């Protein structure tokens, strides 16, 4: 037998087992897995001695901004960043210009992104209420990975862009949807079978509280949290889980930040609601106490909260309430992130630093390597209907593989990021445990931190 690629002497780690074996790849698929050497030759060999072979990691929450404000990021650079961070598949968010709102815009986006993709990708579709409810079945049939609803935001009727600071009387703007209109989205998405993801913050509550805080003249991080309190996430998540239970919609709560939201999700799951949840490294490794050191770089929406919330999120990961880790990769320029905390945009790059931060947490004993493979590979693949094609190491599936070295140490440096944006809260952080090779359908895209292959990514669609 002649194989395209042999990975030998490594330790395979999946959510269910860890064992030493050789892995054989042919025509982009896993051809064989054997604890003893098989007879034959290979075009390429990788010696993974002392390293772990993981099912390719997946980032379900990436804002590549392409098309749109591509001076901040584009798909070429975002997928390079993903590959550099050991990610083999990303799901790109739909708040682009224009957004992925119907079958035609989905097809246009696939055509736009494929030539730039260093890793495989799925596309989120956007829910706009009455503006595109009728087209949700077509979006599903086209192949969206899921439907995202930005709860509480107004929408421009002409550009379909989100209006973040809505005021009554704005022209050509559809006001934030009523609760009944939101429930209609849940009902319509439930009929398609797609996952419905929500940004869970109550914008009306935030607007009122922020105005109160601003009148005081405060411009510090605690003022930001007073304007966007835990309550804003809690009430939206409570309503979302209730809507999920009543409609049958498969709800996915994005970037969970608070103990209260985690408790609400836990209760809903116990009651049988089809609800899943994710959180992000910035909520696991940062808190309000880091602001004096990190500064405005760490402004994210929803904002990083308190130590008690950080501890509650780790508990939710360990008890299975939160089953996915994502990056919420949202780049801005350094200039944009400089200024008043009220005025600068929220977000920072994250897809490249996510796996190193989580691997460092493995070394610190916060979770096992097997748990990490569940959170960042198998669970997202199963939740979004692409398992076992993605998220597994099984004969016949895509040869998406992340090789990691738990003993290798490095320092995160903003200047080394592959994203267009060099803004990160983790600049200077010392890390033990890094991805050393990213393999997408049998092709090595990243090795030892360097991108070694051009775009090869394909669009991924959930099984019907």
């Amino acid at each position: 037998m002649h194989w395209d690629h042999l990975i030998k002497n490594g330790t395979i780690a999946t959510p269910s087992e860890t064992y030493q074996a050789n892995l054989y790849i042919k025509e982009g698929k896993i051809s064989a897995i054997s604890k003893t050497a098989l007879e034959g030759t290979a075009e390429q060999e990788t010696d993974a001695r002392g390293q772990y072979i993981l099912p390719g990691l997946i980032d379900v929450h990436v804002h590549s901004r392409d098309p749109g404000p591509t001076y901040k990021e584009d798909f070429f650079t975002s997928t390079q960043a993903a590959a550099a961070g050991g990610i083999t598949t990303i799901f790109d968010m739909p708040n682009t210009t224009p957004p992925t709102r119907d079958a035609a815009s989905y097809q246009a986006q696939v055509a736009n992104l494929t030539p730039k993709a260093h890793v495989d990708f799925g596309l989120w579709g956007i829910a706009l209420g009455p503006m595109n409810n009728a087209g949700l079945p077509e979006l599903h049939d086209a192949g969206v990975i899921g439907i995202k609803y930005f709860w509480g935001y107004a929408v421009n009727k002409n550009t379909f862009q989100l209006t973040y600071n809505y005021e009554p009387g704005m022209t050509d703007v559809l006001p934030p949807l009523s609760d009944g209109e939101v429930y209609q989205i849940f009902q319509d998405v439930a009929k398609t079978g797609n996952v419905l993801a929500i940004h869970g913050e109550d914008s009306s509550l935030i607007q009122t509280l922020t105005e109160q805080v601003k009148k005081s003249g405060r411009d510090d991080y605690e003022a930001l949290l007073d304007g966007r309190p835990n309550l804003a996430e809690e009430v939206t998540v409570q309503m979302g889980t209730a809507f999920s239970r009543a409609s049958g919609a498969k709800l996915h709560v994005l970037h969970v930040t608070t103990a209260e939201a985690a408790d609400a999700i836990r209760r809903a799951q116990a009651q049988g609601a089809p609800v899943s949840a994710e959180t992000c490294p910035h909520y696991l490794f940062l808190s309000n106490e880091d602001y004096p050191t990190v500064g405005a770089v760490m402004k994210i929406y929803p904002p990083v909260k308190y130590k008690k919330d950080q501890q509650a999120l780790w508990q939710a990961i360990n008890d299975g309430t939160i089953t996915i880790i994502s990056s919420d990769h949202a780049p801005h320029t350094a200039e944009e992130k400089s200024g008043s905390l009220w005025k600068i945009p929220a977000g920072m790059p994250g897809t490249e630093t996510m796996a190193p931060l989580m691997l460092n947490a493995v070394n610190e004993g916060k979770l096992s390597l097997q748990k990490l493979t569940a959170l960042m590979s198998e669970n997202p693949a199963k939740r979004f209907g692409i398992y076992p094609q993605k998220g597994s190491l099984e004969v016949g599936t895509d040869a998406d593989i992340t090789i990691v070295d738990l003993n290798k140490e490095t320092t995160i440096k903003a200047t080394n990021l592959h994203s267009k944006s060099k803004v990160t809260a983790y600049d200077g952080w010392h890390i033990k445990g890094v991805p050393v090779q990213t393999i997408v359908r049998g092709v090595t895209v990243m090795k030892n931190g360097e991108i070694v292959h051009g775009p090869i990514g394909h669009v991924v669609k959930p099984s019907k």
Side-chain angles (χ1 to χ4, degrees):
M1 173 68 77
H2 182 74
W3 291 280
D4 298 326
H5 194 166
L6 162 62
I7 304 172
K8 62 183 182 180
N9 302 324
T11 300
I12 290 177
T14 71
S16 59
E17 56 186 341
T18 301
Y19 60 97
Q20 288 190 316
N22 299 328
L23 192 148
Y24 300 81
I25 299 169
K26 191 173 182 64
E27 297 178 350
K29 303 289 185 180
I30 296 175
S31 178
I33 300 173
S34 176
K35 294 183 179 180
T36 58
L38 301 180
E39 292 187 6
T41 58
E43 193 74 22
Q44 177 186 357
E45 289 190 7
T46 295
D47 190 343
R49 188 180 306 275
Q51 299 171 343
Y52 289 88
I53 302 166
L54 312 184
L57 304 181
I58 300 169
D59 188 352
V60 306
H61 194 153
V62 173
H63 298 269
S64 296
R65 313 199 184 288
D66 189 344
T70 50
Y71 67 91
K72 306 182 191 217
E73 186 75 293
D74 59 37
F75 208 63
F76 187 91
T77 50
S78 73
T79 55
Q80 279 195 333
I87 308 300
T88 60
T89 302
I90 67 170
F91 297 168
D92 207 53
M93 283 295 172
N95 55 327
T96 48
T97 309
T100 303
R101 68 188 187 279
D102 54 27
S105 57
Y106 174 87
Q107 299 297 347
Q109 185 68 320
V110 171
N112 171 45
L113 299 183
T114 299
K116 309 171 187 177
H118 289 82
V119 300
D120 284 352
F121 64 96
L123 292 181
W124 286 95
I126 194 168
L128 299 171
M131 297 179 73
N132 78 331
N133 277 348
L136 293 178
E138 288 185 0
L139 261 178
H140 165 75
D141 293 340
V144 290
I145 207 72
I147 304 293
K148 181 174 181 180
Y149 175 54
F150 292 85
W151 202 311
Y153 289 106
V155 177
N156 186 291
K157 294 180 181 179
N158 300 319
T159 66
F160 307 103
Q161 296 302 296
L162 301 176
T163 301
Y164 292 96
N165 298 304
Y166 171 75
E167 295 180 4
M170 284 183 168
T171 59
D172 296 323
V173 173
L174 184 71
L177 302 181
S178 69
D179 292 347
E181 290 171 320
V182 175
Y183 185 61
Q184 182 69 58
I185 291 174
F186 275 73
Q187 290 179 312
D188 289 343
V189 174
K191 294 174 184 176
T192 70
N194 274 124
V195 172
L196 173 61
I198 60 167
H199 178 123
E201 287 188 295
D202 188 297
S203 62
S204 177
L205 179 62
I206 289 169
Q207 184 176 20
T208 298
L209 295 178
T210 298
E211 287 176 358
Q212 293 176 3
V213 175
K214 282 184 175 181
K215 287 179 181 178
S216 71
R218 293 167 58 202
D219 187 18
D220 54 36
Y221 195 75
E222 294 305 317
L224 182 73
L225 294 185
D226 287 345
R228 303 182 83 96
N230 290 29
L231 181 64
E233 183 176 69
E234 179 184 9
V235 296
T236 305
V237 170
Q238 285 179 340
M239 183 173 289
T241 56
F243 282 4
S244 170
R245 187 170 59 250
S247 67
K250 294 186 289 187
L251 175 65
H252 182 66
V253 184
L254 299 165
H255 42 48
V256 176
T257 75
T258 66
E260 293 85 353
D263 286 342
I265 293 162
R266 187 179 291 110
R267 289 193 300 271
Q269 292 169 342
Q271 294 167 358
V275 178
S276 60
E278 68 182 52
T279 193
C280 310
H282 35 277
Y283 305 121
L284 296 173
F285 303 114
L286 298 172
S287 75
N288 65 313
E289 297 175 17
D290 292 293
Y291 185 79
T293 301
V294 177
V297 167
M298 67 178 268
K299 181 184 175 182
I300 308 260
Y301 284 163
V304 172
K305 303 298 196 313
Y306 306 96
K307 274 290 179 66
K308 72 174 184 65
D309 298 300
Q310 184 185 96
Q311 294 165 358
L313 295 177
W314 278 109
Q315 176 59 39
I317 286 171
N318 289 324
D319 68 22
T321 301
I322 292 175
T323 55
I324 295 174
I325 302 295
S326 73
S327 72
D328 193 7
H329 178 84
H332 299 286
T333 67
E335 293 76 17
E336 288 172 324
K337 293 291 283 188
S338 177
S340 167
L341 194 57
W342 293 117
K343 295 180 180 179
I344 64 172
M348 68 176 177
T351 194
E352 186 167 350
T353 53
M354 176 170 66
L357 289 165
M358 296 304 296
L359 289 168
N360 189 69
V362 170
N363 275 314
E364 291 179 340
K366 293 180 178 178
L367 75 166
S368 68
L369 185 61
Q370 287 181 270
K371 183 75 169 182
L372 181 147
T373 65
L375 291 163
M376 297 180 64
S377 187
E378 183 174 300
N379 291 350
K382 285 183 173 179
R383 182 55 168 164
F384 292 95
I386 59 173
Y387 184 88
Q389 176 191 2
K390 306 293 185 185
S392 73
L393 293 176
E394 298 178 12
V395 173
T397 63
D398 285 355
D400 290 353
I401 296 158
T402 304
I403 302 178
V404 304
D405 187 337
L406 281 178
N407 293 315
K408 186 173 183 178
E409 299 185 42
T410 189
T411 299
I412 295 174
K413 295 182 179 179
T415 54
N416 292 342
L417 294 179
H418 288 75
S419 169
K420 283 186 180 180
S421 172
K422 310 303 179 185
V423 174
T424 177
Y426 312 112
D427 188 33
W429 281 37
H430 184 76
I431 295 293
K432 184 178 180 181
V434 295
V436 294
Q437 193 163 344
T438 304
I439 300 170
V440 179
R441 284 176 286 101
V443 177
T444 297
V445 178
M446 180 277 288
K447 191 163 187 178
N448 296 323
E450 300 295 328
I451 302 300
V452 296
H453 203 286
I456 59 163
H458 293 173
V459 69
V460 178
K461 302 179 181 181
S463 56
K464 301 298 183 182

